[in-house]
């Protein structure tokens, strides 16, 4: 069966520091991969999605970036975090027409 | 353009009462529709999905949803609420053009003892 893991689960980072969140999927090949963000009290915001290695589509302009160095690996990065980057980040993979989510990562920028 | 509207950001029901969470969608093509549940500090879990088969879809934890094309609705119901159902519920429609889901704003379900 397919599984998805993302880490770290929680992190507290100072403003201006870099960020790297990693996500891996097992049990499937060539999945669509997604990064979402939930700010406090708000809904889901799609940040990036990828339909293949090296193929990244950005949904919103921001100081975040994403990379897909391997088929089942998706990384969310930032060179310099802002206070507004705080939130709950969710990695997801798509099979057919259904999307499955990881456990989420809480980011607090201080 | 496709869109999803969830009526009520918060819904409060008593334990044992009927749960009804409303979702209306707009789509120019036959949609795929989804309900996800998010427990506090966790990722989203697929509750059920409609993919143009039976209009009444049964999901996990005793939930079900009925696709009504004439009303463009996909409301989520459960006959008897449990305390463990307290969570946020998201309705979504599949955007076939670009591998994404269009999300509703979510409804927080509160269960009163």
């Amino acid at each position: 069966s397919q599984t998805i893991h993302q880490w770290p689960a929680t992190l507290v980072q100072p403003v201006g520091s870099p960020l790297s969140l990693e996500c891996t999927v097992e049990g499937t090949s060539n999945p669509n991969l997604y990064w979402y963000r939930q700010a406090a009290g708000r809904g889901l915001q799609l940040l990036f999605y990828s339909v293949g290695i090296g193929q990244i589509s950005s949904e919103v302009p921001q100081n975040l970036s994403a990379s897909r160095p391997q088929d089942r690996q998706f990384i969310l990065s930032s060179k310099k975090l802002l206070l507004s980057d705080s939130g709950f980040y969710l990695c997801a993979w798509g099979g057919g027409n259904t999307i499955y989510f990881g456990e989420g990562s809480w980011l607090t920028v201080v | 353009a496709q869109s999803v509207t969830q009526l009520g950001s918060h819904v409060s029901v008593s334990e044992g009462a009927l749960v009804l969470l409303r979702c209306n969608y707009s789509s120019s093509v036959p949609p795929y529709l989804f309900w996800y549940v998010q427990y506090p500090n966790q990722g989203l879990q697929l509750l059920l999905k409609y993919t143009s088969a039976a209009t009444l879809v049964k999901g996990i934890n005793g939930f079900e949803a009925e696709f009504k094309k004439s009303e463009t609705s996909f409301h989520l119901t459960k006959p008897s609420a449990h305390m463990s159902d307290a969570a946020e519920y998201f309705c979504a429609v599949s955007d076939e053009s670009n591998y994404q889901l269009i999300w509703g704003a979510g409804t927080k379900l509160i269960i009163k003892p």
Side-chain angles (χ1 to χ4, degrees):
Chain A
S1 64
Q2 301 88 1
T3 57
I4 179 170
H5 300 288
Q6 64 175 103
W7 67 93
T10 60
L11 66 165
V12 179
Q13 295 283 98
V15 169
S17 65
L19 170 72
S20 180
L21 298 179
E22 189 165 343
C23 172
T24 59
V25 180
E26 297 176 0
T28 186
S29 297
N30 196 31
N32 296 329
L33 295 173
Y34 307 83
W35 278 111
Y36 284 88
R37 176 169 63 195
Q38 277 183 304
R42 304 184 67 179
L44 287 160
Q45 179 187 34
L46 179 64
L47 301 175
F48 302 95
Y49 70 94
S50 171
V51 299
I53 295 174
Q55 300 178 62
I56 309 294
S57 296
S58 175
E59 290 298 299
V60 292
Q62 61 217 326
N63 68 319
L64 299 172
S65 62
S67 62
R68 185 171 178 172
Q70 299 180 49
D71 181 42
R72 291 169 290 172
Q73 184 185 25
F74 206 25
I75 298 172
L76 182 69
S77 304
S78 174
K79 292 182 179 178
K80 289 186 177 181
L81 284 168
L82 306 173
L83 285 173
S84 58
D85 290 325
S86 293
F88 191 48
Y89 289 81
L90 291 156
C91 182
W93 72 274
N97 286 291
T98 305
I99 291 179
Y100 301 93
F101 287 84
E103 307 93 335
S105 298
W106 275 109
L107 170 65
T108 303
V109 182
V110 296
Chain B
Q2 292 164 299
S3 65
V4 176
T5 302
Q6 291 184 241
L7 294 176
S9 59
H10 292 76
V11 169
S12 181
V13 302
S14 298
E15 190 174 17
L18 171 72
V19 175
L20 171 61
L21 303 182
R22 299 177 185 275
C23 173
N24 289 87
Y25 70 91
S26 68
S27 175
S28 58
V29 298
Y32 287 178
L33 293 158
F34 305 82
W35 276 101
Y36 286 82
V37 58
Q38 185 179 30
Y39 298 101
N41 300 316
Q42 295 185 26
L44 278 73
Q45 180 181 6
L46 180 66
L47 204 53
L48 50 80
K49 63 179 178 181
Y50 167 76
T51 56
S52 73
T55 57
L56 182 62
V57 182
K58 294 188 183 298
I60 61 172
N61 302 338
F63 283 92
E64 62 183 33
E66 187 172 8
F67 171 67
K68 292 187 177 180
K69 185 178 179 180
S70 61
E71 299 177 8
T72 61
S73 70
F74 191 56
H75 301 332
L76 182 70
T77 60
K78 182 174 180 178
S80 176
H82 294 181
M83 295 300 294
S84 60
D85 294 327
E88 189 156 20
Y89 292 79
F90 291 91
C91 181
V93 62
S94 178
D95 183 345
E96 293 281 354
S97 66
N98 60 5
Y99 315 103
Q100 297 178 27
L101 292 184
I102 309 300
W103 295 91
T107 297
K108 192 159 289 188
L109 178 63
I110 301 162
I111 311 296
K112 297 179 291 185

